[in-house]
Amino acid sequence: MRSTLRTPTFRRAAVALAVGSLTLALTSCGGDDNSDEPSGKDGKDTASSGSSLQLPKLDGKSLEIAAVWTGDEQKNFKQVLAEFEKRTGAKVTFVPAQDPIINFIGSKVAGGSPPDVAMLPQPGAIKQAVDKKWAKPLDKDVQAELAKNYSQGWQDLGKVDGKNYGAYYKAANKSLIWYNAAVFQNAAAKEPKTWKEFLTTCQALYDSGVTPVSVAGADGWPLTDWFENIYLSQAGPEKYDQLAAHKIKWTDPSVKQALTTLAQLWGKSDYLAGGNKGAVGTEFTKSVEQTFTGGDQPKGAMVYEGDFVQVNIQQTKAKVGTDAKVFPFPAVGDKAPVVSGGDAAVIFKDSPAAQALVKFLASPDAATIQAKLGGYLSPNKNVDLSAYPNDVQRTIAKALVDSGDSFRFDMSDQTPQAFGGTPGKGEWKALQDFLANPKDIEGTQRTLEADAVKAYKD
């Protein structure tokens, strides 16, 4: 997910879209995120005109909801919770959680005090919670709300063994490359649509005197996103599904091909801000900031990551849509990929109040409140695009919803936590080592396979 937000929250769902479905009309600045807080009382709906959402009276009931969100993300989500309180009379307490949240939940369960609801960022975490008999199924009322507002694919992502356990509330598009517009103009560089064109653009930027790409290697998770975009576009959805389920090995030729493609960029030290060693030590926030500071002489001309990069750009003097622009991740194969992240509401203490809270979070009413506040995307197809505060977010949100059922969830988030979601271990560590030494493709494959075998067995 991770900016002020945390990184993994944004690592979560993968959607296969054609380039044309993600044409970004960046005609406005991304910082226009102000909105009046919705108000309501006496259980009446004021969040969306003509809402038919029915919620029970819950006077005297208290709930806890846990998430790793911090900063503005937490602040904005609390406004959503405040609306639920106004409509139902319940009291909802936000519980800050540590990352990985599934470990936090485990400690709470062991202590006999799990939260009523928690926002889980990975399908693997949902399955783990179900397998350990921590998570509770969603009732028919919540399932009906999901069926009304989500594509079948999004509903299925919250299921384990055919039962609904998770309601996806938040998503993020993570197949975007942001660039310093002044540098592109000086280099007469064009927005590339294919990987070959992307490498040509890198050379043009390098020839103009600016290092082409800022890579965030210190956090690990952005590196898995680099790989997943390339693999999904190059190997295709079927292979992607097989590798995610470990039905094919990481020593498969398709993985070699993707790593070889990635090495075309990572293997050129002069193309990376700080070289390979510097890239491995660059945190995500720094990777963004160093692209949009220094005027037309930044440390890197481009940076890869999702729509949430707008939050970090706002920490600089650059303006989204003018100084900072964006293009879809280039197509390596037939189609350009879109990788997004998401968080699902999961119940750990079953009650009518907990079910009602998840029902509310699955409604367009809740999503609309946070959409207006900015820095948020919803997979809910009934959220009016006008709720989003700028053209950048409206266009990205439309692409996400328009993908229907043709998406693929983030591969690393479908794997066991130890392999795909833990700092210093598994895929994160293997790809950090690969960034440091992009020549060792076969060694990287062997390491990935050995780590995957152990993690899947555990």
Side-chain angles (χ1 to χ4, degrees):
M1 207 78 123
R2 296 182 166 175
S3 52
T4 45
L5 331 170
R6 46 179 200 99
T7 32
T9 299
F10 297 114
R11 318 182 42 255
R12 334 265 188 211
V15 187
L17 299 175
V19 176
S21 69
L22 191 63
T23 302
L24 300 178
L26 299 180
T27 58
S28 66
C29 170
D32 183 20
D33 285 347
N34 296 323
S35 170
D36 293 334
E37 178 181 353
S39 61
K41 59 184 179 179
D42 301 327
K44 294 181 180 179
D45 178 8
T46 59
S48 74
S49 176
S51 172
S52 60
L53 182 68
Q54 298 294 318
L55 296 172
K57 278 296 185 181
L58 299 169
D59 296 298
K61 303 295 183 182
S62 295
L63 292 165
E64 289 186 343
I65 183 166
V68 298
W69 299 334
T70 60
D72 286 342
E73 188 172 29
Q74 181 187 129
K75 178 183 175 182
N76 292 349
F77 183 59
K78 284 182 176 179
Q79 292 196 35
V80 177
L81 300 179
E83 181 66 19
F84 177 78
E85 291 179 323
K86 291 173 184 176
R87 297 194 195 191
T88 64
K91 173 65 177 176
V92 185
T93 300
F94 181 91
V95 178
Q98 288 77 47
D99 194 20
I101 192 172
I102 194 65
N103 294 349
F104 172 84
I105 296 296
S107 66
K108 292 294 185 181
V109 171
S113 58
D116 297 272
V117 179
M119 308 302 293
L120 299 187
Q122 297 163 318
I126 297 175
K127 186 177 187 304
Q128 185 176 343
V130 173
D131 290 345
K132 291 181 178 292
K133 302 188 184 305
W134 297 345
K136 312 302 180 186
L138 303 179
D139 67 20
K140 292 182 179 179
D141 206 22
V142 181
Q143 292 178 44
E145 193 67 24
L146 288 170
K148 185 165 54 176
N149 298 317
Y150 293 81
S151 71
Q152 189 62 49
W154 279 104
Q155 294 176 60
D156 290 345
L157 285 173
K159 291 181 179 179
V160 177
D161 297 329
K163 289 186 178 181
N164 287 97
Y165 287 92
Y168 276 88
Y169 171 73
K170 183 176 179 8
N173 183 318
K174 294 189 69 181
S175 288
L176 305 172
I177 294 181
W178 299 82
Y179 66 92
N180 185 309
V183 175
F184 261 56
Q185 183 175 2
N186 291 344
K190 297 180 180 180
E191 295 183 359
K193 293 183 178 180
T194 67
W195 183 255
K196 183 178 180 180
E197 291 175 358
F198 177 71
L199 295 177
T200 299
T201 297
C202 286
Q203 185 63 47
L205 294 166
Y206 177 77
D207 291 343
S208 75
V210 179
T211 303
V213 184
S214 176
V215 175
D219 293 308
W221 60 271
L223 305 185
T224 70
D225 292 342
W226 272 102
F227 173 82
E228 288 159 5
N229 274 279
I230 289 172
Y231 191 85
L232 178 59
S233 181
Q234 189 173 62
E238 290 186 7
K239 282 280 192 180
Y240 184 97
D241 292 343
Q242 292 169 3
L243 187 60
H246 203 212
K247 291 182 178 179
I248 57 174
K249 296 181 178 181
W250 283 83
T251 50
D252 189 84
S254 62
V255 177
K256 181 178 181 179
Q257 185 182 20
L259 290 174
T260 300
T261 299
L262 193 51
Q264 291 174 348
L265 175 65
W266 290 4
K268 287 185 173 291
S269 186
D270 290 344
Y271 278 10
L272 309 180
N276 292 83
K277 183 177 180 180
V280 171
T282 300
E283 296 177 349
F284 165 66
T285 53
K286 182 181 177 182
S287 74
V288 179
E289 291 166 1
Q290 68 184 15
T291 304
F292 299 105
T293 55
D296 62 358
Q297 292 294 314
K299 291 185 177 180
M302 297 181 285
V303 62
Y304 157 70
E305 258 308 338
D307 58 279
F308 49 90
V309 166
Q310 294 176 83
V311 176
N312 302 91
I313 293 174
Q314 289 171 22
Q315 306 305 312
T316 72
K317 294 181 180 180
K319 300 296 183 183
V320 175
T322 52
D323 308 311
K325 294 187 178 182
V326 66
F327 56 84
F329 196 97
V332 185
D334 293 335
K335 293 183 178 180
V338 172
V339 176
S340 83
D343 292 88
V346 178
I347 294 174
F348 289 88
K349 285 173 64 176
D350 199 6
S351 68
Q355 296 283 352
L357 177 56
V358 176
K359 178 182 178 180
F360 179 63
L361 294 176
S363 75
D365 296 20
T368 296
I369 294 171
Q370 195 155 348
K372 289 181 177 180
L373 298 172
Y376 167 85
L377 289 175
S378 172
N380 189 315
K381 64 185 179 182
N382 289 322
V383 175
D384 196 308
L385 292 176
S386 65
Y388 293 97
N390 58 64
D391 286 347
V392 172
Q393 288 185 274
R394 280 189 285 272
T395 305
I396 295 172
K398 185 177 186 299
L400 187 69
V401 172
D402 285 353
S403 67
D405 291 334
S406 66
F407 61 85
R408 292 295 185 273
F409 213 88
D410 183 299
M411 184 188 298
S412 62
D413 288 337
Q414 297 183 58
T415 69
Q417 182 84 27
F419 179 73
T422 302
K425 295 182 66 177
E427 191 180 1
W428 290 23
K429 179 62 165 61
L431 289 179
Q432 286 175 319
D433 292 344
F434 182 62
L435 175 60
N437 181 20
K439 293 182 179 180
D440 189 18
I441 293 173
E442 292 185 0
T444 300
Q445 286 185 270
R446 289 193 297 269
T447 298
L448 285 165
E449 177 59 18
D451 289 343
V453 168
K454 183 178 185 302
Y456 277 83
K457 283 183 179 179
D458 292 344

